[in-house]
Coordinates of all heavy atoms in Angstrom, one line a residue:
M1 N 42.8 61.9 -95.1 CA 43.2 60.8 -94.3 C 43.3 59.5 -95.2 O 42.4 59.3 -96.0 CB 42.1 60.5 -93.3 CG 42.5 61.0 -91.9 SD 41.2 60.4 -90.8 CE 41.4 61.4 -89.5
S2 N 44.2 58.7 -94.9 CA 44.3 57.4 -95.7 C 43.4 56.4 -95.1 O 43.0 56.5 -93.9 CB 45.8 56.9 -95.6 OG 46.1 56.5 -94.3
P3 N 43.0 55.4 -95.9 CA 42.1 54.4 -95.5 C 42.7 53.6 -94.3 O 41.9 53.2 -93.4 CB 41.9 53.5 -96.7 CG 42.5 54.2 -97.8 CD 43.4 55.3 -97.4
E4 N 44.0 53.4 -94.1 CA 44.5 52.7 -93.0 C 44.2 53.4 -91.7 O 43.9 52.8 -90.7 CB 46.0 52.5 -93.2 CG 46.4 51.5 -94.3 CD 46.5 52.3 -95.7 OE1 46.5 53.5 -95.6 OE2 46.5 51.6 -96.7
I5 N 44.3 54.7 -91.7 CA 44.1 55.5 -90.5 C 42.6 55.5 -90.1 O 42.3 55.3 -88.9 CB 44.6 57.0 -90.7 CG1 46.1 57.0 -90.9 CG2 44.2 57.9 -89.6 CD1 46.7 58.3 -91.2
V6 N 41.8 55.6 -91.1 CA 40.3 55.5 -90.8 C 40.0 54.1 -90.2 O 39.2 54.0 -89.2 CB 39.5 55.7 -92.1 CG1 38.0 55.5 -91.9 CG2 39.7 57.1 -92.6
V7 N 40.5 53.1 -90.7 CA 40.3 51.7 -90.2 C 40.8 51.6 -88.8 O 40.1 51.1 -87.9 CB 40.8 50.6 -91.1 CG1 40.8 49.3 -90.5 CG2 40.1 50.6 -92.5
A8 N 42.0 52.2 -88.5 CA 42.5 52.1 -87.2 C 41.7 52.9 -86.2 O 41.5 52.5 -85.1 CB 44.0 52.7 -87.3
V9 N 41.2 54.1 -86.6 CA 40.4 54.9 -85.7 C 39.0 54.2 -85.4 O 38.6 54.1 -84.3 CB 40.1 56.3 -86.3 CG1 39.0 57.1 -85.6 CG2 41.4 57.1 -86.4
V10 N 38.4 53.6 -86.4 CA 37.2 52.9 -86.2 C 37.4 51.7 -85.3 O 36.6 51.4 -84.4 CB 36.6 52.4 -87.6 CG1 35.4 51.5 -87.4 CG2 36.1 53.7 -88.4
G11 N 38.5 51.0 -85.5 CA 38.8 49.9 -84.7 C 39.0 50.2 -83.2 O 38.6 49.6 -82.3
A12 N 39.7 51.4 -83.0 CA 40.0 51.9 -81.7 C 38.7 52.3 -81.0 O 38.5 52.0 -79.8 CB 41.0 53.1 -81.7
V13 N 37.8 53.0 -81.7 CA 36.5 53.4 -81.2 C 35.7 52.1 -80.8 O 35.1 52.1 -79.7 CB 35.8 54.3 -82.1 CG1 34.3 54.5 -81.7 CG2 36.5 55.6 -82.3
A14 N 35.8 51.1 -81.6 CA 35.0 49.9 -81.3 C 35.6 49.2 -80.1 O 34.8 48.7 -79.2 CB 35.1 48.9 -82.5
V15 N 36.9 49.2 -79.9 CA 37.5 48.6 -78.7 C 37.1 49.4 -77.5 O 36.8 48.8 -76.4 CB 39.0 48.5 -78.9 CG1 39.7 48.1 -77.6 CG2 39.3 47.4 -80.0
V16 N 37.1 50.6 -77.6 CA 36.8 51.5 -76.4 C 35.3 51.3 -76.0 O 35.0 51.2 -74.8 CB 37.1 53.0 -76.7 CG1 36.5 53.9 -75.6 CG2 38.6 53.2 -76.8
M17 N 34.4 51.2 -77.0 CA 33.0 51.1 -76.8 C 32.8 49.7 -76.1 O 32.0 49.6 -75.2 CB 32.2 51.2 -78.1 CG 32.2 52.6 -78.6 SD 31.5 53.8 -77.4 CE 29.8 53.3 -77.5
A18 N 33.4 48.7 -76.6 CA 33.3 47.3 -76.0 C 33.7 47.3 -74.6 O 33.1 46.7 -73.7 CB 34.0 46.3 -76.9
A19 N 34.8 48.0 -74.3 CA 35.3 48.1 -72.9 C 34.4 48.8 -72.0 O 34.1 48.4 -70.8 CB 36.7 48.7 -72.9
L20 N 33.8 49.9 -72.5 CA 32.8 50.7 -71.7 C 31.5 49.8 -71.4 O 31.0 49.8 -70.3 CB 32.4 51.9 -72.4 CG 33.4 53.1 -72.4 CD1 32.9 54.2 -73.3 CD2 33.6 53.5 -70.9
I21 N 31.1 49.1 -72.4 CA 29.9 48.3 -72.2 C 30.2 47.2 -71.2 O 29.4 46.9 -70.4 CB 29.4 47.7 -73.6 CG1 28.8 48.9 -74.4 CG2 28.3 46.7 -73.4 CD1 28.5 48.5 -75.9
T22 N 31.3 46.6 -71.4 CA 31.7 45.5 -70.4 C 31.9 46.0 -69.0 O 31.5 45.3 -68.0 CB 33.0 44.8 -70.9 OG1 32.9 44.4 -72.3 CG2 33.4 43.7 -70.1
A23 N 32.3 47.2 -68.9 CA 32.5 47.8 -67.5 C 31.2 48.3 -66.9 O 31.0 48.2 -65.7 CB 33.5 48.9 -67.6
L24 N 30.2 48.7 -67.8 CA 29.0 49.3 -67.3 C 28.0 48.2 -66.8 O 27.2 48.4 -65.9 CB 28.3 50.1 -68.4 CG 29.0 51.5 -68.6 CD1 28.2 52.2 -69.8 CD2 28.9 52.4 -67.4
V25 N 28.0 47.1 -67.4 CA 27.1 46.0 -67.0 C 27.2 45.7 -65.6 O 26.2 45.6 -64.8 CB 27.2 44.8 -68.0 CG1 26.4 43.6 -67.4 CG2 26.8 45.2 -69.4
P26 N 28.4 45.3 -65.0 CA 28.5 45.0 -63.6 C 28.1 46.2 -62.7 O 27.5 46.0 -61.7 CB 29.9 44.6 -63.4 CG 30.5 44.2 -64.7 CD 29.7 45.0 -65.7
L27 N 28.4 47.4 -63.1 CA 28.0 48.6 -62.3 C 26.5 48.7 -62.3 O 25.9 49.0 -61.2 CB 28.6 49.8 -62.9 CG 30.1 50.0 -62.8 CD1 30.6 51.2 -63.5 CD2 30.5 50.1 -61.3
L28 N 25.8 48.5 -63.3 CA 24.3 48.5 -63.3 C 23.7 47.4 -62.5 O 22.8 47.7 -61.8 CB 23.8 48.4 -64.8 CG 24.1 49.6 -65.7 CD1 23.6 49.2 -67.1 CD2 23.4 50.8 -65.2
F29 N 24.3 46.2 -62.5 CA 23.8 45.2 -61.6 C 24.0 45.5 -60.2 O 23.2 45.1 -59.4 CB 24.4 43.8 -62.0 CG 23.9 43.2 -63.3 CD1 24.7 42.7 -64.2 CD2 22.5 43.1 -63.5 CE1 24.1 42.1 -65.4 CE2 22.0 42.6 -64.6 CZ 22.8 42.1 -65.5
R30 N 25.1 46.1 -59.8 CA 25.4 46.4 -58.4 C 24.3 47.5 -57.9 O 23.9 47.4 -56.8 CB 26.8 47.0 -58.3 CG 27.8 46.0 -58.1 CD 29.1 46.6 -57.7 NE 30.2 46.0 -58.5 CZ 31.2 46.5 -59.0 NH1 31.4 47.8 -58.7 NH2 32.1 45.9 -59.7
R31 N 24.0 48.4 -58.8 CA 23.0 49.4 -58.4 C 21.6 48.9 -58.2 O 20.8 49.4 -57.4 CB 23.0 50.6 -59.4 CG 24.3 51.4 -59.3 CD 24.2 52.5 -60.3 NE 25.4 53.3 -60.3 CZ 25.7 54.3 -61.1 NH1 24.8 54.6 -62.1 NH2 26.8 54.9 -61.1
T32 N 21.3 47.9 -59.0 CA 19.9 47.4 -59.0 C 19.8 46.2 -58.0 O 18.7 45.7 -57.8 CB 19.5 46.9 -60.4 OG1 20.4 46.0 -60.9 CG2 19.5 48.1 -61.3
R33 N 20.9 45.7 -57.5 CA 20.8 44.5 -56.6 C 19.8 44.7 -55.4 O 19.0 43.9 -55.1 CB 22.2 44.1 -56.1 CG 22.1 42.8 -55.3 CD 23.5 42.3 -55.0 NE 24.1 42.0 -56.3 CZ 25.5 41.9 -56.4 NH1 26.3 42.1 -55.4 NH2 26.0 41.6 -57.6
G34 N 19.9 45.9 -54.8 CA 19.0 46.1 -53.7 C 17.5 46.2 -54.1 O 16.7 45.6 -53.4
A35 N 17.2 46.8 -55.2 CA 15.9 46.8 -55.7 C 15.4 45.4 -56.0 O 14.2 45.0 -55.8 CB 15.8 47.7 -56.9
V36 N 16.3 44.6 -56.6 CA 15.9 43.3 -57.0 C 15.6 42.4 -55.8 O 14.7 41.6 -55.7 CB 17.0 42.6 -57.9 CG1 16.8 41.1 -58.1 CG2 17.1 43.3 -59.2
E37 N 16.5 42.6 -54.7 CA 16.3 41.8 -53.5 C 14.9 42.2 -52.9 O 14.2 41.3 -52.3 CB 17.4 42.1 -52.5 CG 18.7 41.4 -53.0 CD 19.9 41.7 -52.1 OE1 19.7 42.5 -51.2 OE2 21.0 41.2 -52.4
A38 N 14.6 43.5 -52.9 CA 13.3 43.9 -52.4 C 12.1 43.3 -53.2 O 11.1 42.8 -52.6 CB 13.2 45.4 -52.3
E39 N 12.2 43.3 -54.5 CA 11.2 42.7 -55.3 C 11.2 41.2 -55.1 O 10.1 40.6 -55.2 CB 11.5 43.1 -56.8 CG 11.2 44.5 -57.1 CD 11.4 44.8 -58.6 OE1 11.5 43.9 -59.4 OE2 11.5 46.0 -58.9
G40 N 12.4 40.6 -54.9 CA 12.4 39.2 -54.7 C 11.7 38.8 -53.4 O 11.0 37.8 -53.4
A41 N 11.7 39.6 -52.4 CA 11.0 39.3 -51.1 C 9.5 39.4 -51.4 O 8.8 38.5 -50.9 CB 11.4 40.3 -50.1
A42 N 9.1 40.4 -52.2 CA 7.7 40.5 -52.5 C 7.2 39.3 -53.4 O 6.1 38.8 -53.2 CB 7.4 41.8 -53.3
T43 N 8.1 38.9 -54.3 CA 7.7 37.7 -55.1 C 7.6 36.4 -54.2 O 6.7 35.6 -54.4 CB 8.8 37.5 -56.2 OG1 8.9 38.7 -57.0 CG2 8.5 36.4 -57.1
R44 N 8.6 36.3 -53.4 CA 8.5 35.1 -52.5 C 7.3 35.1 -51.6 O 6.6 34.1 -51.4 CB 9.8 35.0 -51.5 CG 11.0 34.5 -52.3 CD 12.1 34.3 -51.3 NE 12.6 35.6 -50.7 CZ 13.5 36.4 -51.3 NH1 14.0 36.1 -52.5 NH2 13.9 37.5 -50.8
D45 N 6.9 36.3 -51.1 CA 5.6 36.3 -50.3 C 4.4 36.0 -51.2 O 3.5 35.3 -50.7 CB 5.5 37.8 -49.7 CG 6.5 38.1 -48.7 OD1 7.1 37.1 -48.2 OD2 6.7 39.3 -48.4
A46 N 4.4 36.5 -52.4 CA 3.3 36.2 -53.4 C 3.2 34.7 -53.7 O 2.1 34.2 -53.7 CB 3.4 37.1 -54.6
L47 N 4.4 34.1 -53.9 CA 4.4 32.7 -54.2 C 4.0 31.9 -53.0 O 3.3 30.8 -53.1 CB 5.8 32.3 -54.6 CG 6.2 32.7 -56.0 CD1 7.7 32.3 -56.3 CD2 5.3 32.1 -57.0
T48 N 4.3 32.3 -51.8 CA 3.8 31.6 -50.6 C 2.3 31.6 -50.5 O 1.7 30.7 -50.2 CB 4.5 32.2 -49.4 OG1 5.9 32.1 -49.5 CG2 4.1 31.5 -48.1
A49 N 1.8 32.8 -50.7 CA 0.3 33.0 -50.6 C -0.3 32.1 -51.7 O -1.4 31.5 -51.5 CB -0.1 34.4 -50.8
M50 N 0.2 32.1 -52.9 CA -0.3 31.3 -54.0 C -0.2 29.8 -53.7 O -1.2 29.1 -54.0 CB 0.4 31.6 -55.3 CG -0.2 31.0 -56.5 SD 0.8 31.2 -58.1 CE 1.1 32.9 -58.1
A51 N 0.9 29.4 -53.1 CA 1.0 28.0 -52.7 C -0.1 27.6 -51.7 O -0.7 26.5 -51.8 CB 2.4 27.7 -52.1
A52 N -0.4 28.5 -50.8 CA -1.4 28.2 -49.8 C -2.8 28.1 -50.5 O -3.6 27.2 -50.1 CB -1.5 29.3 -48.7
R53 N -3.1 28.9 -51.5 CA -4.3 28.8 -52.2 C -4.4 27.5 -53.0 O -5.5 26.9 -53.1 CB -4.5 30.0 -53.1 CG -4.9 31.3 -52.3 CD -5.4 32.4 -53.2 NE -4.5 32.7 -54.4 CZ -3.5 33.6 -54.4 NH1 -3.3 34.4 -53.3 NH2 -2.8 33.8 -55.5
V54 N -3.3 27.2 -53.6 CA -3.3 25.9 -54.4 C -3.5 24.7 -53.5 O -4.2 23.8 -53.8 CB -2.0 25.8 -55.2 CG1 -1.7 24.4 -55.7 CG2 -1.9 26.8 -56.3
D55 N -2.8 24.7 -52.3 CA -3.0 23.6 -51.3 C -4.5 23.5 -50.9 O -5.0 22.4 -50.8 CB -2.1 23.8 -50.1 CG -0.7 23.5 -50.5 OD1 -0.4 22.9 -51.5 OD2 0.2 24.0 -49.7
A56 N -5.1 24.7 -50.7 CA -6.5 24.6 -50.3 C -7.4 24.1 -51.4 O -8.3 23.3 -51.2 CB -7.0 26.0 -49.9
R57 N -7.1 24.4 -52.6 CA -7.9 23.9 -53.8 C -7.7 22.4 -53.9 O -8.6 21.7 -54.2 CB -7.4 24.7 -55.1 CG -8.2 24.3 -56.3 CD -9.7 24.6 -56.1 NE -10.4 24.2 -57.3 CZ -11.5 23.4 -57.2 NH1 -12.0 23.1 -56.0 NH2 -12.1 22.9 -58.3
I58 N -6.4 22.0 -53.7 CA -6.2 20.5 -53.8 C -7.0 19.8 -52.8 O -7.6 18.7 -53.1 CB -4.7 20.3 -53.7 CG1 -4.0 20.7 -55.0 CG2 -4.4 18.8 -53.4 CD1 -2.4 20.7 -54.8
D59 N -7.1 20.3 -51.6 CA -7.9 19.7 -50.5 C -9.3 19.6 -50.9 O -10.0 18.6 -50.7 CB -7.7 20.4 -49.2 CG -6.3 20.2 -48.6 OD1 -5.6 19.3 -49.0 OD2 -5.9 21.1 -47.8
D60 N -9.8 20.7 -51.6 CA -11.2 20.7 -52.0 C -11.5 19.6 -53.1 O -12.5 18.9 -53.0 CB -11.6 22.1 -52.6 CG -11.7 23.2 -51.5 OD1 -11.8 22.8 -50.3 OD2 -11.7 24.3 -51.9
V61 N -10.6 19.5 -54.0 CA -10.7 18.5 -55.0 C -10.6 17.1 -54.4 O -11.4 16.2 -54.8 CB -9.6 18.7 -56.1 CG1 -9.5 17.5 -57.1 CG2 -9.8 20.0 -56.9
R62 N -9.8 16.9 -53.5 CA -9.7 15.6 -52.8 C -11.0 15.2 -52.1 O -11.5 14.1 -52.1 CB -8.6 15.5 -51.8 CG -7.2 15.4 -52.5 CD -6.1 15.3 -51.5 NE -4.8 15.1 -52.2 CZ -3.7 15.5 -51.7 NH1 -3.6 16.0 -50.5 NH2 -2.6 15.4 -52.4
D63 N -11.6 16.3 -51.5 CA -12.9 16.1 -50.8 C -14.0 15.7 -51.9 O -14.8 14.8 -51.7 CB -13.4 17.3 -50.1 CG -12.5 17.6 -48.8 OD1 -11.8 16.6 -48.4 OD2 -12.5 18.7 -48.4
D64 N -14.0 16.4 -53.1 CA -14.9 16.1 -54.1 C -14.7 14.6 -54.6 O -15.6 13.9 -54.9 CB -14.7 17.0 -55.3 CG -15.2 18.5 -54.9 OD1 -15.9 18.6 -53.8 OD2 -14.8 19.4 -55.6
L65 N -13.5 14.2 -54.7 CA -13.2 12.9 -55.2 C -13.6 11.8 -54.2 O -14.1 10.8 -54.6 CB -11.6 12.7 -55.4 CG -11.1 13.3 -56.7 CD1 -9.6 13.1 -56.8 CD2 -11.7 12.7 -57.9
D66 N -13.6 12.1 -52.9 CA -14.1 11.2 -51.9 C -15.6 11.0 -52.1 O -16.1 9.9 -52.0 CB -13.7 11.7 -50.5 CG -12.2 11.6 -50.2 OD1 -11.5 10.8 -50.9 OD2 -11.8 12.3 -49.3
E67 N -16.3 12.1 -52.4 CA -17.7 12.0 -52.6 C -18.0 11.2 -53.8 O -19.0 10.4 -53.8 CB -18.3 13.4 -52.7 CG -18.3 14.2 -51.4 CD -18.8 15.7 -51.6 OE1 -19.4 16.0 -52.7 OE2 -18.6 16.5 -50.7
V68 N -17.3 11.4 -54.9 CA -17.5 10.6 -56.1 C -17.2 9.1 -55.8 O -18.0 8.3 -56.2 CB -16.6 11.1 -57.2 CG1 -16.6 10.2 -58.4 CG2 -17.0 12.5 -57.6
R69 N -16.2 8.8 -55.1 CA -15.9 7.4 -54.8 C -17.0 6.8 -53.9 O -17.4 5.6 -54.2 CB -14.6 7.3 -54.0 CG -13.4 7.5 -54.9 CD -12.1 7.3 -54.0 NE -11.0 7.6 -54.9 CZ -10.0 8.5 -54.6 NH1 -10.0 9.2 -53.5 NH2 -9.0 8.7 -55.5
E70 N -17.6 7.6 -53.0 CA -18.7 7.0 -52.2 C -19.9 6.8 -53.1 O -20.6 5.8 -53.0 CB -19.1 8.0 -51.1 CG -18.1 8.1 -50.0 CD -18.4 9.2 -49.0 OE1 -19.5 9.8 -49.1 OE2 -17.6 9.5 -48.1
G71 N -20.2 7.7 -54.1 CA -21.3 7.5 -55.0 C -21.0 6.2 -55.9 O -22.0 5.5 -56.1
V72 N -19.8 6.1 -56.3 CA -19.5 4.9 -57.2 C -19.7 3.6 -56.4 O -20.2 2.6 -56.9 CB -18.1 5.0 -57.8 CG1 -17.6 3.6 -58.4 CG2 -18.0 6.1 -58.8
A73 N -19.2 3.6 -55.1 CA -19.4 2.4 -54.2 C -20.9 2.1 -54.0 O -21.3 0.9 -54.1 CB -18.7 2.6 -52.9
H74 N -21.7 3.2 -53.9 CA -23.1 3.0 -53.7 C -23.7 2.4 -55.0 O -24.6 1.4 -54.9 CB -23.8 4.3 -53.4 CG -25.3 4.2 -53.2 ND1 -25.9 3.6 -52.2 CD2 -26.3 4.7 -54.0 CE1 -27.2 3.7 -52.3 NE2 -27.5 4.3 -53.4
V75 N -23.3 2.8 -56.1 CA -23.9 2.3 -57.4 C -23.5 0.9 -57.5 O -24.3 0.0 -58.0 CB -23.5 3.2 -58.6 CG1 -23.7 2.5 -59.9 CG2 -24.1 4.5 -58.5
R76 N -22.3 0.5 -57.2 CA -21.8 -0.9 -57.3 C -22.6 -1.8 -56.4 O -22.9 -2.9 -56.7 CB -20.3 -0.9 -57.0 CG -19.5 -0.4 -58.2 CD -18.0 -0.5 -57.9 NE -17.2 -0.1 -59.0 CZ -15.9 0.2 -58.9 NH1 -15.3 0.1 -57.8 NH2 -15.3 0.7 -60.0
E77 N -22.8 -1.3 -55.2 CA -23.6 -2.1 -54.2 C -25.0 -2.4 -54.8 O -25.5 -3.5 -54.7 CB -23.7 -1.4 -52.9 CG -22.4 -1.4 -52.1 CD -22.5 -0.5 -50.9 OE1 -23.6 0.1 -50.6 OE2 -21.5 -0.4 -50.2
W78 N -25.6 -1.3 -55.3 CA -27.0 -1.5 -55.9 C -26.9 -2.4 -57.1 O -27.8 -3.3 -57.2 CB -27.5 0.0 -56.4 CG -28.8 -0.2 -57.1 CD1 -30.0 -0.1 -56.4 CD2 -29.0 -0.4 -58.4 NE1 -31.0 -0.3 -57.4 CE2 -30.4 -0.4 -58.6 CE3 -28.2 -0.5 -59.6 CZ2 -31.0 -0.7 -59.9 CZ3 -28.8 -0.7 -60.8 CH2 -30.2 -0.8 -60.9
Q79 N -25.9 -2.3 -58.0 CA -25.8 -3.2 -59.1 C -25.7 -4.6 -58.7 O -26.3 -5.5 -59.3 CB -24.7 -2.7 -60.0 CG -24.6 -3.5 -61.3 CD -25.7 -3.2 -62.2 OE1 -26.1 -2.1 -62.5 NE2 -26.3 -4.3 -62.8
A80 N -24.9 -4.8 -57.7 CA -24.7 -6.2 -57.2 C -26.0 -6.8 -56.7 O -26.4 -7.9 -57.0 CB -23.6 -6.3 -56.1
G81 N -26.7 -6.0 -56.0 CA -28.1 -6.4 -55.4 C -29.0 -6.7 -56.6 O -29.8 -7.6 -56.6
H82 N -29.0 -5.8 -57.6 CA -29.9 -5.9 -58.7 C -29.6 -7.2 -59.5 O -30.5 -7.9 -59.9 CB -29.7 -4.7 -59.6 CG -30.6 -4.6 -60.8 ND1 -32.0 -4.4 -60.7 CD2 -30.4 -4.8 -62.1 CE1 -32.5 -4.5 -61.9 NE2 -31.5 -4.7 -62.8
D83 N -28.3 -7.4 -59.7 CA -27.9 -8.7 -60.4 C -28.3 -9.9 -59.6 O -28.8 -10.9 -60.2 CB -26.4 -8.7 -60.7 CG -25.9 -7.7 -61.7 OD1 -26.8 -7.1 -62.4 OD2 -24.7 -7.4 -61.8
A84 N -28.2 -9.9 -58.3 CA -28.6 -11.0 -57.5 C -30.1 -11.2 -57.6 O -30.6 -12.4 -57.6 CB -28.2 -10.7 -56.0
E85 N -30.9 -10.2 -57.7 CA -32.3 -10.3 -57.8 C -32.6 -11.0 -59.1 O -33.5 -11.9 -59.2 CB -33.0 -8.9 -57.9 CG -33.1 -8.2 -56.5 CD -33.6 -6.8 -56.6 OE1 -33.8 -6.3 -57.8 OE2 -33.9 -6.2 -55.6
H86 N -32.0 -10.7 -60.2 CA -32.2 -11.3 -61.5 C -31.8 -12.8 -61.4 O -32.5 -13.6 -62.1 CB -31.5 -10.6 -62.6 CG -32.1 -9.3 -63.1 ND1 -33.2 -9.4 -64.0 CD2 -32.0 -8.1 -62.7 CE1 -33.6 -8.1 -64.2 NE2 -32.9 -7.3 -63.4
L87 N -30.7 -13.1 -60.8 CA -30.3 -14.4 -60.6 C -31.3 -15.3 -59.9 O -31.6 -16.4 -60.2 CB -28.9 -14.6 -60.0 CG -27.7 -14.1 -60.8 CD1 -26.4 -14.1 -60.0 CD2 -27.5 -15.0 -62.0
L88 N -31.8 -14.7 -58.8 CA -32.9 -15.4 -58.0 C -34.1 -15.6 -58.8 O -34.9 -16.6 -58.6 CB -33.1 -14.6 -56.7 CG -32.0 -14.6 -55.7 CD1 -32.3 -13.7 -54.5 CD2 -31.8 -16.0 -55.2
M89 N -34.5 -14.7 -59.7 CA -35.7 -14.8 -60.5 C -35.4 -15.8 -61.7 O -36.3 -16.1 -62.4 CB -36.1 -13.5 -61.0 CG -36.6 -12.5 -60.0 SD -37.3 -11.0 -60.6 CE -36.1 -10.3 -61.7
G90 N -34.2 -16.2 -61.8 CA -33.9 -17.2 -62.9 C -33.6 -16.5 -64.2 O -33.6 -17.1 -65.3
Q91 N -33.4 -15.2 -64.2 CA -33.1 -14.5 -65.5 C -31.6 -14.1 -65.4 O -31.0 -13.9 -64.4 CB -33.9 -13.2 -65.6 CG -35.4 -13.5 -65.6 CD -36.2 -12.1 -65.6 OE1 -35.6 -11.0 -65.6 NE2 -37.5 -12.2 -65.5
R92 N -31.1 -13.9 -66.6 CA -29.8 -13.4 -66.7 C -29.8 -11.9 -66.5 O -30.7 -11.3 -67.0 CB -29.2 -13.8 -68.1 CG -29.1 -15.2 -68.4 CD -28.5 -15.4 -69.7 NE -27.3 -16.1 -69.6 CZ -26.5 -16.4 -70.6 NH1 -26.8 -16.0 -71.8 NH2 -25.4 -17.1 -70.5
P93 N -28.7 -11.5 -65.9 CA -28.6 -10.0 -65.7 C -28.4 -9.4 -67.1 O -27.8 -10.0 -68.0 CB -27.5 -9.8 -64.8 CG -26.7 -11.1 -64.8 CD -27.6 -12.1 -65.2
P94 N -28.8 -8.2 -67.3 CA -28.6 -7.5 -68.6 C -27.2 -7.3 -68.8 O -26.4 -7.0 -67.9 CB -29.4 -6.2 -68.5 CG -29.6 -5.9 -67.1 CD -29.6 -7.3 -66.4
R95 N -26.7 -7.4 -70.1 CA -25.3 -7.2 -70.4 C -25.1 -5.7 -70.8 O -26.0 -5.1 -71.4 CB -25.0 -8.0 -71.7 CG -24.9 -9.5 -71.3 CD -24.3 -10.2 -72.5 NE -24.0 -11.6 -72.1 CZ -23.4 -12.4 -72.8 NH1 -23.0 -12.1 -74.0 NH2 -23.1 -13.6 -72.4
D96 N -23.9 -5.3 -70.4 CA -23.6 -3.9 -70.8 C -23.2 -3.9 -72.2 O -22.5 -4.8 -72.7 CB -22.4 -3.4 -69.9 CG -22.8 -3.2 -68.4 OD1 -24.0 -3.1 -68.2 OD2 -21.9 -3.3 -67.6
S97 N -23.5 -2.8 -72.9 CA -23.1 -2.8 -74.3 C -21.8 -2.1 -74.5 O -21.3 -1.3 -73.8 CB -24.1 -2.0 -75.2 OG -25.4 -1.9 -74.7

């Protein structure tokens, strides 16, 4: 066989293989579409459940933040009263470093 014929045969085989691959990909996607839709429904359900858990956790954190804010307000009230006591006694309140 001459080199031109070998090159032509290899080229033809490559073209046929490319056409087969191109044709098989959509066929494979059509066959798996039903399975993907079923898995998609399961994924959506799992994401909905996860969103509910995240929302519950966010509410817990907000409740914790409310408690911290109340504690900070209490400390500020105490500090204001403490500073007022020092002013009434004629002393300067201690400076924060």
